Amino acid sequence: MTPNKAKLIDGKHFSNQLIRSLIPDIKTILKIIGRPPTLAVILVGEDGASQVYVRNKVKQTEAAGMVSVEHRLSDQTDEETLLSLVETLNNDDDIDGILVQLPLPKHINEHSVIQAINPDKDVDGFHVINAGKLATGQKGLVPCTPLGCLLLLRDTLGDLSGLHAVIIGRSNIVGKPLGQLLLAENASVTIVHSKTKNIEKLTSQADILIAAVGRSEMVKSSWIKPGACVIDVGINRITAPEKGDGKYRLVGDVDFAEASTIAHFITPVPGGVGPMTIACLLRSTVVAAAMRKGVEISIK
Ligand code: NDP
């Protein structure tokens, strides 16, 4: 049997460090504006996974010494009511960040709701103003999952300049913004997607391979250049009969067992990119508070 070679990139450990590193800035903001950075989270409906995400976000925000204000609305809530809540939060000077947990119920237009958020409070970085700032190299709020990937890559590899990064997936929330972030680091970026021909040929040239697809264990060892750094964004639930009836386990978009025999570095699922997403949300809330209130902080 081929021995396991890849070193694990421990997202849980790194995210804890990142959250701890925010504390001095949180204290500075508290001292200067008289309250800690404050995040408003809106959850519409009863989606189980969303409830878990929101609970974790609120818990970790408060554990870091910030304030979070939760708004739970029924799945019958109409778009007008939701837009009016967003407007109220936009106008509330004591709210620094607004997060609308996605997905929203089908009768609500997600795009309209995201675009209604004040871009200065858009801690998810999904507003077109923030997407435009990222694309043109201006300071703004950046989507949390791509930022988490970038911070892990910088910590693992140092300078990314000149490296070839291949991203599988071109969504607005992961693939595209991550491409922009890596370009800004002077990496050479290739983005592939469901219409790309001969994906394997492209991915196997990557120094950095990022999978953000949503397909269980799609990336096999033959897709990976020996010695590459593999970041697995995917979170997929698959049934796990070995755990008992009706049980499931989480796997990524990368076949971890195969990939870890050829990659040099790899993120696990769970415990890789996932914890970084929440840590970056906290980081963005601190950045949003500091930008709105003109407070000098250590995060650049
Ligand atoms: P989307 O469904 O929005 O995008 C998926 C992308 O993958 C699309 O660009 C699609 O191509 C591409 N794709 C689909 N099938 C294939 C294929 N067979 N070959 C190549 N490309 C393919 O997903 P997201 O970007 O929102 O999420 C991706 C994954 O990341 C999911 O598993 C999600 O759960 C996870 N995720 C994890 C987060 C975390 O915190 N760790 C946060 C956000 C997402 P096309 O554009 O052509 O359709």
Side-chain angles (χ1 to χ4, degrees):
M1 207 173 94
T2 324
N4 254 13
K5 286 194 306 190
K7 293 192 181 117
L8 269 194
I9 300 176
D10 186 346
K12 184 107 195 71
H13 175 74
F14 188 75
S15 65
N16 285 337
Q17 267 186 346
L18 175 60
I19 294 173
R20 268 200 304 276
S21 76
L22 300 174
I23 291 171
D25 285 334
I26 293 170
K27 287 185 175 160
T28 303
I29 291 170
L30 170 63
K31 200 165 149 200
I32 292 179
I33 71 170
R35 61 164 179 79
T38 300
L39 173 68
V41 182
I42 304 176
L43 174 62
V44 186
E46 308 289 326
D47 180 78
S50 295
Q51 290 193 8
V52 174
Y53 291 143
V54 165
R55 204 177 309 134
N56 282 339
K57 286 168 183 174
V58 167
K59 213 169 88 186
Q60 296 206 37
T61 308
E62 290 171 353
M66 299 197 277
V67 173
S68 77
V69 184
E70 228 182 308
H71 294 268
R72 285 179 178 256
L73 307 179
S74 102
D75 56 4
Q76 303 302 317
T77 304
D78 58 27
E79 190 171 315
E80 203 182 317
T81 307
L82 180 54
L83 288 172
S84 144
L85 172 59
V86 169
E87 193 51 25
T88 303
L89 296 170
N90 280 344
N91 294 328
D92 184 341
D93 195 43
D94 287 343
I95 299 291
D96 301 301
I98 303 171
L99 180 139
V100 178
Q101 182 64 45
L102 302 179
L104 290 169
K106 291 209 171 7
H107 63 275
I108 298 179
N109 182 327
E110 271 183 15
H111 179 77
S112 309
V113 174
I114 300 301
Q115 300 318 312
I117 297 173
N118 176 347
D120 295 339
K121 298 188 178 189
D122 168 39
V123 279
D124 256 338
F126 295 160
H127 195 286
V128 289
I129 297 271
N130 283 316
K133 284 184 173 174
L134 179 60
T136 55
Q138 296 173 61
K139 197 169 156 58
L141 293 166
V142 174
C144 301
T145 301
L147 180 60
C149 294
L150 175 68
L151 297 179
L152 286 179
L153 283 168
R154 273 203 207 135
D155 185 61
T156 306
L157 301 176
D159 184 10
L160 307 181
S161 179
L163 297 180
H164 182 197
V166 177
I167 302 168
I168 318 175
R170 57 174 164 179
S171 71
N172 289 336
I173 65 168
V174 188
K176 281 184 206 155
L178 184 52
Q180 304 287 359
L181 286 170
L182 290 170
L183 274 180
E185 298 284 313
N186 297 317
S188 305
V189 178
T190 303
I191 300 184
V192 300
H193 46 79
S194 70
K195 305 290 186 292
T196 303
K197 295 195 170 73
N198 209 348
I199 282 200
E200 195 175 325
K201 189 169 171 209
L202 294 166
T203 59
S204 57
Q205 295 170 32
D207 303 309
I208 297 168
L209 179 59
I210 297 144
V213 188
R215 287 182 189 263
S216 319
E217 301 176 321
M218 181 181 89
V219 177
K220 302 293 178 188
S221 55
S222 59
W223 296 43
I224 300 168
K225 178 174 163 179
C229 179
V230 177
I231 304 286
D232 192 352
V233 182
I235 302 177
N236 309 290
R237 271 162 82 128
I238 61 167
T239 53
E242 73 279 6
K243 287 186 166 183
D245 257 6
K247 297 284 182 199
Y248 68 90
R249 65 191 172 93
L250 295 180
V251 296
D253 293 338
V254 176
D255 184 326
F256 183 84
E258 280 199 17
S260 50
T261 65
I262 186 156
H264 191 179
F265 296 103
I266 188 165
T267 56
V269 175
V273 175
M276 288 301 291
T277 299
I278 295 191
C280 287
L281 169 68
L282 270 53
R283 182 187 190 275
S284 291
T285 305
V286 174
V287 169
M291 283 196 312
R292 287 182 58 244
K293 296 292 180 180
V295 178
E296 192 68 33
I297 53 169
S298 61
I299 305 168
K300 292 296 161 228

